[in-house]
Amino acid sequence: MTDAAASEITNELATRSAAFKARLQKRYAAERRFKFLGLFAVSFSVAVLAMLLVNMAINGIGGFQRAELAVPVDFAEGGIAADPAALARPDALQTLEAQGLPEIIEFYAQESLGEEAAAELSGNAWREVAQYIIASPALLREKTTLWLPASANLAGGYDGEGSLEMRALAERLEAEGKIDKRFDGGFLARSDATDPQAAGIWGALKGSMLTMIVTLLLAFPIGVMAALYLEEYAPKNRWTDFIELSINNLAAVPSIIFGLLGLAVFLTLFPGIRSTPIIGGMTLALMTLPVIVISGRNAIKAVPPSIRDGALAVGASPVQVVFHHVLPLALPGILTGTIIGMARALGETAPLLMVGMRLFVSTPPDGFTSPATVLPMQIFLWSDEVDRGFVERTSAAIIILLLFLLVMNGLAIYLRNKFEKKW
């Protein structure tokens, strides 16, 4: 018998031993446990996410609706004689008010709904009618039925809450077909209000957009330039190591610390523009910078050295190598890090609390220096209200925030795929 044949027989006997089979079964059992734990973790995550989305969807659907009363109005008999030129002016609302539009709406509401129900018409109902007239002056020659917002008390009674009188009134109106839950398109066009029936999300959404624009314009170029310098030009010494360590630590600093920094620096330098998107954006840019620098450096490191060597070999200068070859190839990774940092900034409230963006703003901001709040802060403010109407509005606002985040992520994925190059 040869040595090879003897070795083969020995190995075969070893694999048939009880100890070998026990070790093999133990290894298979460990693999099965690992797969089970992994599957459990994924299933648990999906279940929690699904529960969150279903809960938000159920509550959020109500947030996009409101209780409205049907009020037939004969504008031809109302006597309002505003011409289209007057309605095109900025003071058109005041013109309609001076001609008695609030009293006309009140009269027809009492005639159709009764005095008790007419008193539960929202105080801002005539303003919505005025907006309809400004948008379509021909309405003044027509007789039409308008669906106008009910008061918060009557809306609560329609939902089966509040006083017994409001519930009874809502039941009567429902039986007569004069109250209904209807889609509230104005929720996406109005700003904050003390009445949940009149509250909207546009003011906070616009504030978030303006704040994110400032954050991106400051954090992205500075972060990319810092990453390029540290990877391509900075000498390797103790100072560089200290800077790298500081940047890594800053990425883990609680966000409220950046709020304190913004409070101490920006509001000291610019005390006249407190609670504005530009101050909020600068504060969030401080928080986002470390994330962009770290992700940018990792993306630049991933560019193969042969790319640099090849460019230098054909006569490119070091600056041309960086901006014509290294940066374009690293851009997909940089964009991924940027969107992670921006998504974190979009959901932050703590640093913005410190710079005064927790405020009631009833009109959308006109620009970067107008008082504004942001979506997470609006959600926080509404969640603190006891009125059920605000609970539904809060869920609807969360849905808007998630959609905003998905749009940002989709844009980042599109840009990453567009600039991605393979070698």
Side-chain angles (χ1 to χ4, degrees):
M1 180 180 297
T2 63
D3 293 340
S7 176
E8 184 177 351
I9 292 173
T10 303
N11 291 336
E12 185 176 354
L13 291 176
T15 57
R16 292 180 179 177
S17 66
F20 178 83
K21 291 181 178 178
R23 288 197 299 272
L24 194 60
Q25 289 177 353
K26 185 177 180 181
R27 190 177 69 181
Y28 288 159
E31 290 179 356
R32 287 195 295 272
R33 285 197 299 273
F34 177 76
K35 290 180 181 177
F36 173 76
L37 290 175
L39 183 62
F40 174 77
V42 172
S43 302
F44 181 76
S45 303
V46 171
V48 171
L49 180 61
M51 184 172 64
L52 172 67
L53 293 177
V54 170
N55 185 43
M56 289 298 103
I58 292 174
N59 291 322
I61 289 173
F64 290 101
Q65 296 177 322
R66 67 176 178 180
E68 294 181 344
L69 294 167
V71 180
V73 180
D74 189 347
F75 287 105
E77 288 186 353
I80 296 177
D83 59 274
L87 295 177
R89 291 201 296 264
D91 62 345
L93 191 69
Q94 289 74 19
T95 301
L96 292 171
E97 184 180 11
Q99 294 197 30
L101 181 62
E103 290 76 15
I104 291 172
I105 299 302
E106 184 181 0
F107 169 77
Y108 283 108
Q110 289 181 354
E111 187 178 66
S112 170
L113 306 173
E115 188 172 345
E116 183 185 11
E120 296 302 327
L121 197 63
S122 172
N124 291 319
W126 73 270
R127 294 179 183 274
E128 296 196 10
V129 177
Q131 295 299 330
Y132 295 151
I133 295 173
I134 292 170
S136 177
L139 196 64
L140 292 174
R141 299 189 294 273
E142 298 177 2
K143 181 179 180 181
T144 184
T145 298
L146 300 173
W147 285 90
L148 301 177
S151 68
N153 290 333
L154 183 58
Y158 188 60
D159 290 331
E161 299 178 350
S163 65
L164 294 176
E165 291 78 8
M166 285 297 112
R167 294 186 199 180
L169 179 59
E171 288 178 2
R172 177 177 70 79
L173 292 171
E174 185 180 15
E176 296 173 355
K178 296 178 179 177
I179 188 172
D180 194 12
K181 280 267 188 178
R182 297 168 65 87
F183 175 71
D184 180 18
F187 176 68
L188 300 174
R190 295 189 299 266
S191 295
D192 197 7
T194 54
D195 182 355
Q197 290 278 95
I201 203 67
W202 173 238
L205 182 61
K206 189 176 180 182
S208 281
M209 289 178 179
L210 294 175
T211 303
M212 287 298 102
I213 289 173
V214 175
T215 303
L216 182 64
L217 292 179
L218 290 176
F220 184 72
I222 297 175
V224 172
M225 290 299 109
L228 280 174
Y229 176 78
L230 289 173
E231 281 302 316
E232 299 293 330
Y233 298 105
K236 302 299 179 186
N237 53 33
R238 292 181 179 178
W239 284 109
T240 308
D241 294 340
F242 176 74
I243 292 172
E244 291 177 359
L245 181 62
S246 300
I247 292 173
N248 292 334
N249 287 331
L250 279 173
V253 168
S255 58
I256 197 167
I257 303 298
F258 292 101
L260 290 171
L261 186 59
L263 176 65
V265 177
F266 299 135
L267 289 185
T268 302
L269 294 174
F270 312 106
I273 52 174
R274 182 187 179 90
S275 310
T276 58
I278 193 167
I279 292 293
M282 287 193 290
T283 304
L284 292 178
L286 292 177
M287 190 188 71
T288 310
L289 260 176
V291 178
I292 297 178
V293 174
I294 293 171
S295 63
R297 293 187 63 195
N298 291 332
I300 292 168
K301 280 180 185 175
V303 177
S306 58
I307 300 291
R308 297 175 178 82
D309 297 338
L312 291 171
V314 297
S317 68
V319 173
Q320 288 175 324
V321 171
V322 170
F323 287 96
H324 293 181
H325 299 277
V326 176
L327 184 58
L329 292 173
L331 199 55
I334 296 174
L335 287 174
T336 302
T338 301
I339 201 62
I340 291 172
M342 293 294 293
R344 180 190 173 195
L346 177 63
E348 280 293 343
T349 56
L352 300 179
L353 278 171
M354 305 305 297
V355 295
M357 296 193 77
R358 183 185 186 277
L359 72 167
F360 177 84
V361 183
S362 60
T363 56
D366 295 327
F368 294 103
T369 56
S370 300
T373 188
V374 292
L375 266 176
M377 197 66 68
Q378 189 69 76
I379 292 168
F380 171 72
L381 291 173
W382 284 352
S383 67
D384 207 27
E385 299 285 345
V386 295
D387 195 310
R388 177 173 171 76
F390 277 113
V391 174
E392 294 177 338
R393 296 295 195 189
T394 301
S395 299
I398 291 174
I399 292 175
I400 298 295
L401 180 62
L402 288 175
L403 291 176
F404 190 7
L405 186 62
L406 288 175
V407 170
M408 285 178 55
N409 286 340
L411 180 62
I413 292 171
Y414 168 75
L415 293 175
R416 185 180 62 193
N417 293 335
K418 182 177 181 180
F419 293 111
E420 188 173 15
K421 295 180 180 179
K422 298 180 179 179
W423 57 84

